């Protein structure tokens, strides 16, 4: 494959916001939860309460980047899209939704502030901080909690394999994510 032209590099970066935003709205709409077995895009749109044409466009974009499988107009899961299901043991749905929340997504609109001042852009939008935002916006707070729980669940296996926790004592607390691995360690 040939290297991208300078214009292609610029176009890919300039239009790069489309891909993550497509992921945010697909995750937020529960499309992965509505897909139990391969089905046509029209049936999936009905099951997920989305517009068939818009859904098909987003699925074409996402499948070109490894999320979902498309065969004509039939959609099926792949390993990555399975993780967008809310019932997946290592669900990343909350994480994908969190990055689409106003505090995460909108902060990039003020990135010029960070570049000029070195201060976080989010401070301009949320002067009281994110920890004040979530209690005032309980749905966003619930998504944040789901994101952190899913991220931890997805990373536990790697942590268990990478570190020797045999010298740690068993303790209770947290959500027992790490202590659920028998006899190895406790939740930090």
């Amino acid at each position: 494959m040939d290297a991208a032209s300078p214009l292609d590099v610029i176009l890919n970066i300039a239009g790069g916001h489309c891909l993550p935003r497509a992921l945010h709205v697909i995750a937020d709409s529960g499309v992965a939860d509505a897909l139990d077995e391969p089905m046509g895009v029209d049936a999936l749109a009905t099951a997920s309460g989305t517009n068939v044409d818009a859904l098909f466009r987003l699925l074409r974009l996402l499948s070109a980047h490894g999320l979902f499988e498309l065969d004509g107009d039939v959609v099926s899961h792949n390993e990555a899209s399975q993780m967008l299901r809310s019932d997946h043991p290592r669900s990343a749905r909350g994480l994908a939704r969190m990055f689409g929340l106003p505090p995460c997504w909108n902060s990039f609109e003020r990135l010029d502030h960070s570049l000029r001042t070195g201060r976080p852009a989010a401070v301009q939008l949320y002067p009281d901080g994110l920890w004040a935002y979530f209690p005032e916006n309980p749905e966003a707070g619930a998504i944040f909690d789901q994101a952190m729980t899913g991220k931890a669940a997805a990373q536990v296996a790697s942590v268990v394999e990478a570190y020797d926790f045999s010298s740690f004592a068993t303790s209770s607390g947290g959500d027992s994510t790490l202590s659920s691995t028998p006899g190895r360690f406790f939740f930090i």
Side-chain angles (χ1 to χ4, degrees):
M1 177 155 67
D2 295 328
S5 74
L7 179 59
D8 287 338
V9 170
I10 291 169
L11 287 173
N12 286 335
I13 294 171
H17 66 284
C18 299
L19 186 60
R21 194 63 186 144
L23 172 60
H24 303 155
V25 299
I26 288 292
D28 206 42
S29 298
V31 169
D33 285 337
L35 182 64
D36 290 322
E37 57 188 40
M39 67 171 65
V41 174
D42 55 345
L44 182 57
T46 299
S48 61
T50 57
N51 175 274
V52 65
D53 294 326
L55 177 61
F56 193 39
R57 285 191 299 273
L58 291 181
L59 288 172
R60 284 196 317 259
L61 174 64
L62 293 171
S63 68
H65 291 275
L67 195 59
F68 295 100
E69 297 290 332
L70 270 179
D71 184 8
D73 70 343
V74 175
V75 186
S76 58
H77 276 297
N78 60 18
E79 192 173 346
S81 65
Q82 285 280 354
M83 290 185 72
L84 289 179
R85 292 185 57 92
S86 58
D87 61 354
H88 191 282
R90 293 181 317 273
S91 177
R93 181 176 183 233
L95 195 60
R97 293 177 75 200
M98 180 193 74
F99 282 109
L101 288 173
C104 294
W105 189 253
N106 294 348
S107 292
F108 286 98
E109 293 175 0
R110 305 290 173 91
L111 198 54
D112 58 323
H113 169 76
S114 294
L115 181 62
R116 284 192 312 274
T117 66
R119 299 200 20 88
V123 171
Q124 278 201 319
L125 295 169
Y126 308 100
D128 295 331
L130 293 180
W131 302 122
Y133 174 85
F134 290 126
E136 294 169 3
N137 298 273
E139 184 179 343
I143 291 169
F144 177 80
D145 290 346
Q146 292 165 5
M148 296 300 102
T149 300
K151 184 176 182 283
Q155 293 176 324
V156 165
S158 297
V159 171
V160 170
E161 293 303 317
Y163 297 99
D164 176 15
F165 289 96
S166 61
S167 65
F168 285 76
T170 301
S171 176
S172 59
D175 68 1
S176 300
T177 300
L178 295 180
S179 65
S180 65
T181 304
R184 295 298 298 266
F185 47 82
F186 65 98
F187 186 81
I188 299 172

